Amino acid sequence: AKWLSDGIRDGDITPWLDWATKEGGVSDLGYPNVVAMLNLLSWDSILFTRIANAFFAAWMIVLLYRLAKRNFGEEVGRLSAILTFLMPSLIFWTATTMKEAVMTMFTVWYLERLDFVFRKPKLLLKDYAEILLFASFLAWFRSALCAVALLTFAVALIITDKKIISTGRKIAIGIFISGCMLLVFSDSITTIVDELLLNRQQAEGNLEFRATREGGNALVKYLSAGAMAPLVFTIPFPTMVDLYGQPTQAMLNGGWFIKNIMSFFLLYALLILWRSGEWKQHVLVLAYMLGYMAALALSSYIHAGRFHYPVIPFDMMMAAYGMVHFKRRYFKYFNLFLVFEFVVIVFWNWFKLKGRGLV
């Protein structure tokens, strides 16, 4: 970002071009470009960049409200916005100079516009252009996120109820958007798929590295995607013990505890949507949420809280839907879930201490 902003001021962006070319692909170049533009506006002020992050996150919540209201009604829309606004882990990462706030804003914006296009009576050329624009933005932030976004589009187009989008419109939108994406992003899509496959192959190696590095957890090498995947809606679990080199986990333990509790209502929402058959009217949101979590579960970052950021707003949307439709007679199951949460937290913190030889 500094190379680019300085280069623009000096009229020479060669150092930035050398770095960008060496990286081999556009993924992860998005946020440095955003920061560079903010640097030009503020003369390299970190405070200005962090304040801008707050505005990006705030706009993301507005977009989430629109998406939730259109899908589930006013009550769920408001509650989704409130839960997301108060989520401690989102507040924490938004206050850092990292890409999560901007990336998640573009993700929610992409899905909100796509949902709008699916439900709009008459489509204009600018509607198609908006979808392509936001899809291209995602390719500049995280390759796996872009892949999930493209897969979400395809799944939603095929499965969404005909009451929402007619067969003729499905074919028209599918041909136009798919054709443009293949024409413009064909090389990028191939690179993304290759990166995802490579990351999957390297997952076990990453766990081995975390087990053997200084201060690492010797037991973490026994974890696998198969062991953690069933808990992907709930994790990360809070670290409530003081460990050397993990101040972030200590600061975020309350935030992850809240996310764990919200996962009960998320799972309840998925259950009632499935049993009622209404899930076909909300395929877009569900496809993205489930697709991103599946990609996360197959990686070595499944318990890395920062990588959950792009899906947390949608977790809160589904949790809000579950809360609004929750019935009092099911409170006994919520109480059982709290007992389960307590046991898992105790085990998780013992696991972290035991792996370091502290107990």
Side-chain angles (χ1 to χ4, degrees), residues 89-107:
S89 53
L90 297 188
I91 296 172
F92 178 89
W93 290 113
T94 299
T96 64
T97 312
M98 302 183 77
K99 67 183 179 181
E100 272 63 33
V102 183
M103 179 175 67
T104 305
M105 179 195 69
F106 281 128
T107 302

Side-chain angles (χ1 to χ4, degrees), residues 195-352:
E195 286 180 0
L196 289 175
L197 292 174
L198 180 61
N199 288 340
R200 178 70 191 99
Q201 294 169 358
Q202 292 178 340
E204 293 184 3
N206 289 337
L207 291 176
E208 183 70 27
F209 166 74
R210 295 184 183 194
T212 56
R213 66 180 177 179
E214 183 180 357
N217 189 331
L219 298 178
V220 77
K221 63 184 178 182
Y222 298 111
L223 295 179
S224 65
M228 301 298 289
L231 299 171
V232 70
F233 294 103
T234 303
I235 57 179
F237 295 116
T239 298
M240 296 185 176
V241 291
D242 185 20
L243 297 174
Y244 173 77
Q246 295 195 349
T248 300
Q249 287 86 335
M251 286 187 283
L252 282 173
N253 69 72
W256 298 137
F257 178 74
I258 293 173
K259 181 181 183 296
N260 294 169
I261 301 302
M262 290 295 105
S263 69
F264 173 83
F265 297 101
L266 183 157
L267 294 170
Y268 176 74
L270 294 179
L271 177 63
I272 59 178
L273 284 173
W274 177 262
R275 293 183 65 178
S276 66
E278 292 183 9
W279 64 273
K280 291 184 179 180
Q281 299 178 28
H282 313 291
V283 174
L284 184 65
V285 173
L286 294 173
Y288 169 76
M289 186 180 72
L290 298 176
Y292 187 85
M293 286 184 172
L296 201 59
L298 295 174
S299 73
S300 59
Y301 304 107
I302 187 171
H303 212 279
R306 185 165 67 91
F307 288 84
H308 285 260
Y309 191 118
V311 79
I312 288 178
F314 301 94
D315 291 349
M316 295 303 102
M317 182 194 300
M318 298 311 301
Y321 181 81
M323 287 179 175
V324 169
H325 294 85
F326 194 70
K327 301 184 184 301
R328 291 181 62 86
R329 65 176 180 269
Y330 295 138
F331 265 112
K332 59 183 178 181
Y333 298 112
F334 180 61
N335 291 333
L336 289 174
F337 180 83
L338 293 179
V339 173
F340 167 76
E341 170 75 4
F342 172 76
V343 172
V344 171
I345 289 177
V346 171
F347 171 77
W348 175 250
N349 285 273
W350 171 87
F351 176 85
K352 301 199 81 171

